[in-house]
Amino acid sequence: MRILVVGSGAREHAVLRTLVKERSRIMHDLFVVGGNPGIWEIAEAARLDADDCALAESDIQGIIKFTQQKKIELVIIGPEAPLDAGIVDALHAQNSSLLVFGPTKAAAKLESSKIFAKEIMRSANISTAKAWECSTVEEVKKVLNELEQMGSSHFVVKADDLAAGKGVVVAQNVADALSHAEKYLVDEKKVLVEEYMQGPEFSLFFICDGQRAIPLMPAQDFKRIFDNDEGPNTGGMGSYAPLDWLPNSAVNWATDNIATPVLNEMKKHGTPFVGVLFAGLMYTRTGIKVIEFNVRFGDPETQVVLEALKTPLSKIATLAAKGELEKLEELTWSSEHFCNIVLTSAHYPESSSKGDVIKGISQAEAKGAVILHAGTAFTGADVGQLVTNGGRVLSVLARGKDLKTARDRAYNYARMVTFQGAQMRGDIALRAANDQISI
Ligand code: AMP
Ligand code: GLY
């Protein structure tokens, strides 16, 4: 199959690595728009005929032309920005038979507007935090004061639109929550104030074809920069799967009570959802509740989930894009455990460092590590030296018969990879490995 993947992170590296692993059964020609040095080892950077420059993720017209020139059969979109920009609509407008794995712009609103997502959840009767939509600072203040009087210990304020992971604050006092709201209440934008929920969080991806939702293996990610979930939010510092602490019934429950009703509601709206519906979930004392929806694979959870997947991803994405998921046999999974440690560059997430020389990758790979690239680049003309080129630099993965083994291996491998100012969390999957997560 001729497959084009759009995106430049470790998530897209994981998607392409998964497609490469299928090659013993299905032969693919793999192309990427974006990419990084790790990805370019396994997929060809997309360039238009008679053009030396690699295509950019934002160049939708160029991407359409490329799919025509190279007779691409399936397109898989990694990040949310091109989805929100309408890449799926544009590809379909040009060629209605092209298989595109991702939602239309209208369906991608489940991620690009938190207010829209809440409306869908309200209509579909899905359990989630209570929320108040506010257009002014006075409205926010009133809701926050009421929540304080009712004894709330934390105050959750969310920007309505995409904010690159920075739109949500969980503040310990009203003043901090209010000042976050003020930042986002500009240009007639709105914010949501939410009821504060507590409990372990997990991520569940559903493969969707507009009507049916097939759950993948649940995973957990770690969003804060420092151990014990301290410090600012990041794009994700690590992940593991499967989740032994999650009751077996949770995935079926979430499919029947969250994903399927969302798909029905989206269909009713005239905006059927195709692609990955990513539910950020919390196991609260009163049951599983939705924290948020995203409309694409999550990063860094995808790295562990796809490493465990045995069913060919190309088949899953093809059937989803065709609206034929009823033809998909039950997914098969590895019985092993997987752990991913993210290495970030100095000063992340406030800023990031570029050009720091990265060493030790081949030594770690020789021991069994799977290393997926994100913010890396080559310096120099020909051979070049691998250096950092962004905040999240690498995902370092290991597998094991149990989580503790996978985790120990992942940390051993991660310590073998070095660069100036490298940061990693020391407690990825620690509580789960020690059986300390209770629900
Ligand atoms: P989001 O971008 O909506 O996933 O929010 C980022 C993080 O903020 C989540 O992973 C949660 O840890 C936290 N969070 C969001 N909403 C709530 C809520 N209503 N109650 C408690 N924590 C929340
Ligand atoms: N892991 C969270 C995200 O991809 O947004």
Side-chain angles (χ1 to χ4, degrees):
M1 220 180 173
R2 300 175 73 76
I3 306 177
L4 174 66
V5 173
V6 177
S8 302
R11 163 182 54 204
E12 288 76 21
H13 197 173
V15 166
L16 283 154
R17 172 181 155 79
T18 306
L19 295 170
V20 167
K21 283 195 295 185
E22 293 175 14
R23 274 184 175 151
S24 58
R25 285 174 285 178
I26 315 170
M27 202 54 210
H28 297 307
D29 287 323
L30 300 174
F31 301 91
V32 65
V33 172
N36 58 47
I39 289 179
W40 298 323
E41 282 182 19
I42 57 173
E44 186 181 326
R47 286 183 175 77
L48 291 176
D49 289 348
D51 196 345
D52 261 0
C53 276
L55 283 170
E57 289 170 41
S58 55
D59 183 1
I60 293 183
Q61 288 314 312
I63 295 173
I64 290 174
K65 246 193 229 158
F66 181 81
T67 61
Q68 293 165 337
Q69 285 181 358
K70 291 286 182 203
K71 301 198 167 38
I72 296 294
E73 298 165 86
L74 171 67
V75 183
I76 300 178
I77 318 287
E80 62 275 22
L83 295 167
D84 185 47
I87 190 169
V88 174
D89 313 62
L91 285 164
H92 273 155
Q94 207 60 33
N95 176 2
S96 57
S97 61
L98 178 65
L99 299 174
V100 188
F101 185 63
T104 59
K105 180 177 171 69
K109 251 184 112 178
L110 275 178
E111 175 167 357
S112 62
S113 168
K114 299 226 185 240
I115 291 175
F116 175 78
K118 280 285 178 194
E119 282 165 6
I120 292 291
M121 284 190 264
R122 224 170 270 144
S123 313
N125 206 10
I126 287 168
S127 65
T128 183
K130 275 195 211 107
W132 295 266
E133 182 182 325
C134 300
S135 310
T136 64
V137 176
E138 288 65 41
E139 282 170 22
V140 176
K141 204 176 196 170
K142 185 164 173 276
V143 177
L144 290 173
N145 285 337
E146 280 168 15
L147 287 170
E148 189 175 40
Q149 274 158 23
M150 280 157 49
S152 185
S153 61
H154 290 72
F155 304 90
V156 183
V157 175
K158 301 185 174 184
D160 175 40
D161 53 345
L162 291 179
K166 298 199 169 102
V168 176
V169 76
V170 182
Q172 293 187 17
N173 58 63
V174 169
D176 289 351
L178 202 57
S179 77
H180 182 80
E182 275 169 358
K183 243 192 308 185
Y184 288 96
L185 280 171
V186 291
D187 302 332
E188 307 206 346
K189 289 186 178 168
K190 295 181 179 179
V191 299
L192 275 183
V193 179
E194 275 192 14
E195 166 201 11
Y196 173 64
M197 306 188 290
Q198 277 174 289
E201 290 179 36
F202 62 105
S203 303
L204 189 52
F205 305 154
F206 298 94
I207 304 291
C208 302
D209 70 351
Q211 320 217 36
R212 284 158 289 253
I214 312 279
L216 300 186
M217 177 185 277
Q220 211 178 23
D221 81 341
F222 294 77
K223 289 203 169 102
R224 307 281 185 146
I225 183 79
F226 300 129
D227 287 17
N228 301 316
D229 290 329
E230 284 172 15
N233 262 327
T234 69
M237 298 297 293
S239 54
Y240 70 92
L243 308 180
D244 285 345
W245 55 268
L246 193 69
N248 287 333
S249 58
V251 170
N252 283 341
W253 188 91
T255 308
D256 295 344
N257 294 283
I258 295 170
T260 307
V262 166
L263 291 196
N264 290 339
E265 197 60 34
M266 293 298 281
K267 220 168 89 186
K268 258 205 264 171
H269 246 254
T271 55
F273 188 93
V274 175
V276 179
L277 176 66
F278 162 166
L281 303 171
M282 190 180 274
Y283 211 116
T284 73
R285 253 188 255 166
T286 53
I288 296 173
K289 295 194 177 180
V290 175
I291 303 171
E292 64 158 355
F293 288 127
N294 295 314
V295 298
R296 38 137 187 115
F297 281 122
D299 189 342
E301 298 95 316
T302 299
Q303 289 87 309
V304 285
V305 172
L306 292 187
E307 203 58 26
L309 179 67
K310 285 192 164 168
T311 307
L313 177 62
S314 63
K315 187 172 178 186
I316 298 173
T318 297
L319 290 174
K322 283 186 173 169
E324 295 179 355
L325 276 180
E326 79 279 8
K327 293 185 181 162
L328 187 69
E329 70 271 26
E330 200 173 325
L331 299 180
T332 51
W333 298 95
S334 161
S335 57
E336 288 184 289
H337 288 248
F338 298 84
C339 185
N340 168 20
I341 311 299
V342 173
L343 297 181
T344 76
S345 68
H347 316 302
Y348 180 74
E350 279 79 20
S351 63
S352 62
S353 173
K354 290 188 177 181
D356 300 311
V357 173
I358 303 170
K359 292 196 174 140
I361 289 188
S362 41
Q363 288 84 340
E365 284 175 338
K367 294 276 179 202
V370 169
I371 299 199
L372 301 169
H373 290 227
T376 62
F378 281 130
T379 55
D382 295 328
V383 184
Q385 172 77 55
L386 192 71
V387 295
T388 61
N389 189 37
R392 285 188 295 176
V393 178
L394 297 162
S395 274
V396 181
L397 271 78
R399 58 171 68 211
K401 64 180 189 326
D402 51 33
L403 182 58
K404 187 178 177 317
T405 310
R407 180 176 188 277
D408 288 347
R409 284 187 185 148
Y411 271 107
N412 284 339
Y413 301 150
R415 281 189 286 266
M416 294 172 76
V417 179
T418 56
F419 52 87
Q420 185 72 39
Q423 310 185 73
M424 68 171 124
R425 264 178 71 156
D427 65 344
I428 301 302
L430 180 61
R431 292 183 58 230
N434 288 342
D435 222 357
Q436 288 170 327
I437 301 185
S438 53
I439 51 175

